[in-house]
Amino acid sequence: MSVSDMFAALQGALGLDQDIREEIRKEVQTLEQTAREILTLLQGVHQGPGFQHIPKKCQKAREHFGTVRTQMESLKTKFPADQYYRFHEHWRFVLQRLVFLAAFVVYLESETLVTREAVAEILGIEADRERGFHLDIEDYLSGVLTLASELARLAVNSVTAGDYSRPLRISAFINELDSGFRLLNLKNDSLRKRYDGLKYDVKKIEEVVYDLSIRGLNKEATVGAGGEK
C-alpha cells in the first residue's frame, strides 16, 4: 500500500468518526432541550405558591422523562455499543443534569435520595456497565451534588414562603448526604472539586436553621413537622 493509499484510508476512518460525533451531538441537543424544559418546570417550586403545586409539577416532570427515555433510545443507536467511553464526553454534562433533575423530583416526592438504579430506570438506560449504555457512578454522584446545591436554595426560599419545617428536614438530609460522601475515596479531580463545594451547601443550610432558632421559629417548625410535607 502506498503512502497516499494509507492516508486515504485514515481520512476515511476520520470522516466516519466525525459523522458519528455529529449524529451524537444532534441527539444530545434534543436531550439538552428537554432537560431545560424540566428544569424550568421544577424551578417553579422556589416561588411562594410553588410549594402548593409540588405534586403536580413532579407529575409533569415525570411525563417529560418519558420524552427523555425516547431520546436516549435514539442516542444509543448512534455509536457502537462497545465504544461508550470513547464518546462519553459528548453526553456527560447533560446526563449529569438529568440525574440531578431526576433526583430533585424524587426528593420533592418523598424527601429521599434516589438510587443510581432508580435514576437509570427513570432515564431509560442501564445501571450496569456490562449491559451497554449506562449511568456511570461519577455522573450519578455529580448529579447528586447538584441536588445538594438546589436544596440549599430551597431551604432559603422555604423560609420566605413561610414553610419553617422544610429547612430542618433539608438540613437532616444534607448532613446525611455529606456523611455518605465522606465514606468515598474520590480520585476524580472534577468530582472531588464539586464535592468540596458540598461543605458550603451544608453551611448555608445550617445558617438558615440557626436563623430559625434565633427567631424562635424552629419551635413552630418542630410542631408542624408531623404535618404535610
Side-chain angles (χ1 to χ4, degrees), residues 162-165 168 212 215-227:
D163 186 345
Y164 304 131
S165 64
L168 302 182
L212 289 174
R215 294 161 59 189
L217 297 174
N218 62 327
K219 297 178 180 179
E220 178 181 339
T222 302
V223 172

Side-chain angles (χ1 to χ4, degrees), residues 41-84:
L41 173 67
L42 294 179
Q43 288 302 295
V45 305
H46 290 287
Q47 302 169 3
F51 290 100
Q52 303 172 16
H53 305 294
I54 284 178
K56 185 176 181 179
K57 290 182 181 297
C58 288
Q59 181 181 1
K60 189 66 176 178
R62 291 275 187 177
E63 295 174 5
H64 281 293
F65 278 114
T67 301
V68 169
R69 287 191 290 273
T70 300
Q71 293 168 343
M72 283 291 186
E73 284 299 322
S74 181
L75 175 59
K76 294 175 188 178
T77 67
K78 302 305 179 183
F79 65 97
D82 60 347
Q83 296 185 20
Y84 177 90

Side-chain angles (χ1 to χ4, degrees), residues 150-168:
E150 190 73 8
L151 292 182
R153 180 186 171 202
L154 186 63
V156 174
N157 291 328
S158 296
V159 176
T160 303
D163 186 345
Y164 304 131
S165 64
R166 191 178 298 271
L168 302 182

Side-chain angles (χ1 to χ4, degrees), residues 186-203:
L186 299 176
K187 300 293 186 180
N188 182 292
D189 290 340
S190 175
L191 185 59
R192 177 71 196 188
K193 183 180 294 186
R194 295 192 65 178
Y195 165 63
D196 288 341
L198 180 58
K199 63 184 178 183
Y200 298 107
D201 296 325
V202 172
K203 182 179 179 181

